[in-house]
Amino acid sequence: IPTEMGASLSELEQQHQHPLGASLSELEQQHQHSQSQPKKKHHQPKEPPIKTKVKLRLSSTGKNLLLSPQQNIEPSRKVVQKGPAVKAKYETQSAQLSFPHIFERILRDADSPVDRSSKEKLFDQLHGGVYLHDKTKMYWVDKKTNANCFVLFPRALSITWAENPIYWKWIERNNEGLPEVVELKKDCWLEVHGKFDTRMLSPGILYEVLFYVKMKDPVQGWELPINVRLVLPGGKKQQGKVSLMEMLRGRWMEVPVGEFVACEKDGGEMEISLFEYDGGIYSYVGFVSGGIVIKPKE
């Protein structure tokens, strides 16, 4: 049907085609189709949450403890242990405060009275150390194993020519925790012996025996290794050699002699020795003895 302008409907459709080539009817269909489709929502990506860490300082150890907020632990909140954990904690504390082996008999030889007004005060002194026999020995209890430990200071040892000032010099060392040490001035004969009753030790504990020594400059005559020996009750021997020339100067060092498991049934007197007199031509200088240490092996 012709229009007033003289153009047919088909001609108008051709004149109003979409620039991309789509007719009006096609555009209407596309518009209706787009309205029928649900609109997609465009979400902007969220930034990942920032994970922070709470920094706690442990006043007792000075170490830092890093906790993640996911653990749901607040710095100011106390974590309360319940059930078996509490029981185990108290059992551990009780074990630490159980009385050590024959400690009453050992304390009879203490140089000064021991405070027994409370269990805590008693153990504070046992852990810190108690002098015995006019400061010739010291007794203490190891915190970890609750085992008896001892030091035999030089006055409790047998040292060849130790009372001769030409060869040996006795020195007070209260500032080092040692009542007295002995220094070898010059000698070609080194012989140190100690004796100890193993029945004073805690049964079932693996012990190590060590000489507590220091090498002091000028160090001379120690080209040959020295001998160390441990003779246990019953006659069993442990013997070896140690080079003192390899030790650091001016520091107290532990020279291992031997080790054994304490047994009350087979206990008795053991002998600990450090000696060297086979060289003959050497003149030893610079050796300082702090005594013998008997403690649980770490």
Side-chain angles (χ1 to χ4, degrees):
I1 302 174
T3 62
E4 296 179 356
M5 299 295 297
S8 64
L9 182 60
S10 60
E11 291 175 344
L12 288 173
E13 288 179 352
Q14 293 176 0
Q15 293 176 3
H16 291 82
Q17 285 184 348
H18 192 268
L20 295 179
S23 64
L24 290 175
S25 60
E26 291 174 345
L27 289 173
E28 289 177 354
Q29 292 176 0
Q30 292 177 4
H31 179 69
Q32 292 175 358
H33 179 71
S34 63
Q35 287 182 343
S36 63
Q37 294 292 330
K39 294 183 179 180
K40 295 183 179 179
K41 296 182 180 180
H42 297 282
H43 298 280
Q44 294 183 354
K46 294 183 179 180
E47 295 183 359
I50 300 175
K51 295 183 178 180
T52 59
K53 291 185 177 181
V54 182
K55 190 174 184 180
L56 300 182
R57 181 167 294 277
L58 305 180
S59 59
S60 59
T61 61
K63 297 181 180 179
N64 292 331
L65 178 64
L66 296 179
L67 298 177
S68 170
Q70 296 177 358
Q71 293 177 276
N72 196 25
I73 298 177
E74 297 179 4
S76 60
R77 184 180 300 173
K78 293 183 179 180
V79 179
V80 180
Q81 296 179 343
K82 298 180 180 180
V86 175
K87 183 178 180 181
K89 179 180 178 180
Y90 286 120
E91 287 178 352
T92 302
Q93 291 177 347
S94 299
Q96 291 176 348
L97 292 178
S98 60
F99 291 115
H101 178 64
I102 64 170
F103 81 101
E104 289 280 8
R105 188 193 310 176
I106 297 172
L107 291 180
R108 293 174 190 169
D109 298 322
D111 291 346
S112 57
V114 176
D115 188 352
R116 303 167 189 249
S117 59
S118 69
K119 200 172 184 180
E120 288 74 19
K121 289 183 179 180
L122 172 62
F123 271 87
D124 283 344
Q125 294 170 90
L126 294 180
H127 293 155
V130 178
Y131 286 119
L132 309 175
H133 299 289
D134 296 327
K135 291 188 177 182
T136 60
K137 300 177 183 178
M138 187 174 72
Y139 163 62
W140 84 95
V141 175
D142 179 59
K143 287 185 178 181
K144 185 177 180 180
T145 61
N146 202 42
N148 294 338
C149 311
F150 292 87
V151 176
L152 310 181
F153 295 118
R155 288 290 183 185
L157 307 179
S158 174
I159 304 174
T160 302
W161 297 324
E163 300 305 324
N164 191 328
I166 298 176
Y167 303 112
W168 292 87
K169 179 182 179 181
W170 290 90
I171 308 169
E172 291 186 359
R173 279 287 184 268
N174 293 328
N175 59 331
E176 296 180 351
L178 301 170
E180 198 174 26
V181 301
V182 61
E183 178 183 342
L184 179 61
K185 295 170 64 177
K186 187 175 183 180
D187 199 354
C188 61
W189 188 286
L190 176 65
E191 190 173 16
V192 182
H193 299 285
K195 295 182 179 181
F196 186 81
D197 191 341
T198 62
R199 288 169 292 191
M200 308 292 281
L201 302 175
S202 301
I205 298 295
L206 175 62
Y207 280 91
E208 59 181 347
V209 182
L210 315 110
F211 272 96
Y212 199 49
V213 305
K214 179 167 64 175
M215 301 305 293
K216 179 181 177 182
D217 285 326
V219 175
Q220 298 177 9
W222 303 100
E223 285 77 9
L224 293 179
I226 62 171
N227 300 282
V228 291
R229 182 178 63 207
L230 175 65
V231 182
L232 297 172
K236 185 178 179 180
K237 295 182 181 180
Q238 299 179 28
Q239 188 164 335
K241 288 183 177 291
V242 179
S243 176
L244 297 182
M245 288 294 291
E246 299 176 358
M247 293 178 57
L248 295 175
R249 304 293 188 263
R251 294 186 182 182
W252 288 106
M253 307 289 289
E254 294 177 339
V255 176
V257 181
E259 58 186 56
F260 65 99
V261 176
C263 179
E264 191 173 14
K265 180 180 178 182
D266 299 327
E269 191 174 70
M270 67 177 178
E271 297 181 5
I272 310 107
S273 303
L274 180 149
F275 58 94
E276 178 53 55
Y277 36 72
D278 293 334
I281 61 174
Y282 295 102
S283 182
Y284 303 124
V285 178
F287 174 84
V288 184
S289 174
I292 296 173
V293 181
I294 306 168
K295 64 179 182 178
K297 184 176 176 63
E298 297 180 357

